[in-house]
Amino acid sequence: MAASPKNQVNDSTSNGAVINSIEFARKALEIHDTIAVLQFSRLRDVLASPDGVLDYRIIGGINENGLPRLQLFVQGSLQLSCQRCLEPFEFELDIAADFLIVPDESAIPSPENESGDENYLVAETLMSVIDLIEDEILLALPLAPKHKINQCGASAKLDELKKPSPFAVLQALKTKS
């Protein structure tokens, strides 16, 4: 359900936006914008290149149980380094995360008592949008990013290593004698 036009926020200043998470959800506000990859300070360490932009959208609302929630969508691509061949490659990012907003950490159920796949955010009056986005991107990245095997430069080197050695014929002759 999209927010009505009066509830939408769409401006270039939202990249540094700070929102009141409870108010944002209760008023069903929405932010959608693009953000330069180089703005993510913690993400820079895992990137091959900080070039590019990501599209994001944050939608506030109330769930079917009357609890405030935020939905986050992030799409785009990042330049990562392949852990096999160390060459850069494009990693497609498509994140959809849904968060229930709770008043404090004690309201988050323990893992044994969780009923489903919910994610929780502690309510903040000054929640940084860029930090929320960066946290979700870092969680979505693979531990050891790699090209697809047929696109990796290391796979050609591995194939080369698997070719029979020209000396194998000589070894076979030697063992027959």
Side-chain angles (χ1 to χ4, degrees), residues 7-142:
N7 292 342
Q8 288 186 336
V9 176
N10 185 13
D11 61 15
S12 59
T13 62
S14 65
N15 286 343
V18 175
I19 62 172
N20 178 328
S21 56
I22 293 281
E23 183 179 310
F24 193 89
R26 288 197 176 132
K27 290 183 177 180
L29 296 176
E30 181 175 329
I31 295 174
H32 52 94
D33 205 348
T34 58
I35 187 165
V37 173
L38 59 87
Q39 288 189 261
F40 298 110
S41 59
R42 293 175 290 150
L43 187 59
R44 280 188 223 141
D45 294 339
V46 298
L47 298 174
S49 167
D51 296 337
V53 294
L54 301 174
D55 295 317
Y56 73 91
R57 191 165 82 180
I58 300 175
I59 303 169
I62 305 295
N63 75 0
E64 60 278 351
N65 297 328
L67 299 172
R69 73 184 247 202
L70 292 179
Q71 292 177 293
L72 172 67
F73 303 94
V74 182
Q75 293 181 317
S77 62
L78 300 172
Q79 292 292 316
L80 302 179
S81 293
C82 175
Q83 296 302 300
R84 268 186 272 207
C85 67
L86 302 178
E87 293 295 320
F89 74 100
E90 197 168 288
F91 178 78
E92 290 299 319
L93 202 58
D94 190 7
I95 298 172
D98 199 2
F99 302 97
L100 291 178
I101 301 172
V102 294
D104 56 43
E105 286 186 23
S106 66
I108 299 173
S110 63
E112 329 50 78
N113 296 335
E114 277 190 42
S115 59
D117 214 13
E118 290 94 6
N119 295 312
Y120 296 91
L121 280 177
V122 175
E124 293 183 56
T125 54
L126 298 172
M127 185 178 82
S128 168
V129 169
I130 194 168
D131 287 345
L132 176 64
I133 294 168
E134 188 171 27
D135 288 344
E136 288 306 304
I137 291 171
L138 288 168
L139 288 171
L141 293 178

